Amino acid sequence: MDRDELEKHLQLEHQICFALYGAAHAFTRAYKPLLDPLGLTYPQYIAMMALWERDTATVKALGEMLGLDSGTLSPLLKRLEQAGLISRKRSLEDERQVLITLTDRGRDLKKDAVGVMQAIGQATGCGFDELAAIRDTLKNLSARLNDTQN
């Protein structure tokens, strides 16, 4: 490719990073009215989803699952605890570790969250298989990008 051709590819509309950025914002806007009745922000929602899978996790393990550092995760967990959805306690085996556990109220919220997943699926206009393919493509892309940074 010559220089002029390469410069055409620099246009914003051709950039995958900009398409992902726009899609991320669109998802955030779509989730907000669905999560407001649950009293959750999107980062709180993904933390709850991770805990619904496990029920109990250390702060470190939860941060790794979500890709969040402790500076971001700690205030988020504090708000979930204040809402009565989780409890935080030091591990008896290793006091350096803090265990996050769902409360009964936090477990019960999972029933309402199923409606969020269904509504997002409808909002995308994609079938389950198409969404799964997009998700898998994005996960593979993330893995490749992370590999280049290591």
Side-chain angles (χ1 to χ4, degrees), residues 59 68-80 86 88:
V59 171
L68 297 175
D69 61 44
S70 62
T72 302
L73 190 56
S74 291
L76 180 154
L77 294 173
K78 183 177 181 180
R79 287 190 296 278
L80 289 174
I86 64 163
R88 294 186 294 173

Side-chain angles (χ1 to χ4, degrees), residues 81-148:
E81 185 176 38
Q82 289 169 342
L85 300 174
I86 64 163
S87 66
R88 294 186 294 173
K89 294 185 179 148
R90 293 235 171 249
S91 169
L92 296 176
E93 289 118 30
D94 183 351
E95 289 190 11
R96 295 171 296 175
Q97 293 189 357
V98 176
L99 297 175
I100 308 302
T101 305
L102 288 169
T103 63
D104 289 341
R105 186 170 171 214
R107 280 183 208 89
D108 290 344
L109 191 62
K110 184 178 182 179
K111 295 175 196 123
D112 297 326
V114 171
V116 172
M117 184 182 68
Q118 290 172 324
I120 288 297
Q122 290 173 344
T124 65
C126 298
F128 182 79
D129 290 341
E130 185 178 1
L131 287 174
I134 293 168
R135 179 205 59 224
D136 291 346
T137 298
L138 291 172
K139 286 171 86 173
N140 288 334
L141 179 62
S142 293
R144 282 188 251 155
L145 289 169
N146 287 331
D147 286 347
T148 64

Side-chain angles (χ1 to χ4, degrees), residues 24-84:
H25 281 285
F27 266 98
T28 301
R29 285 190 305 274
Y31 270 101
K32 185 168 180 8
L34 301 169
L35 295 177
D36 282 348
L38 303 179
L40 297 174
T41 63
Y42 182 74
Q44 291 169 339
Y45 176 65
I46 63 170
M48 292 299 293
M49 284 194 296
L51 289 166
W52 290 327
E53 289 178 23
R54 293 183 159 193
D55 194 69
T56 299
T58 64
V59 171
K60 181 180 179 182
L62 189 60
E64 288 171 357
M65 284 178 71
L66 303 176
L68 297 175
D69 61 44
S70 62
T72 302
L73 190 56
S74 291
L76 180 154
L77 294 173
K78 183 177 181 180
R79 287 190 296 278
L80 289 174
E81 185 176 38
Q82 289 169 342

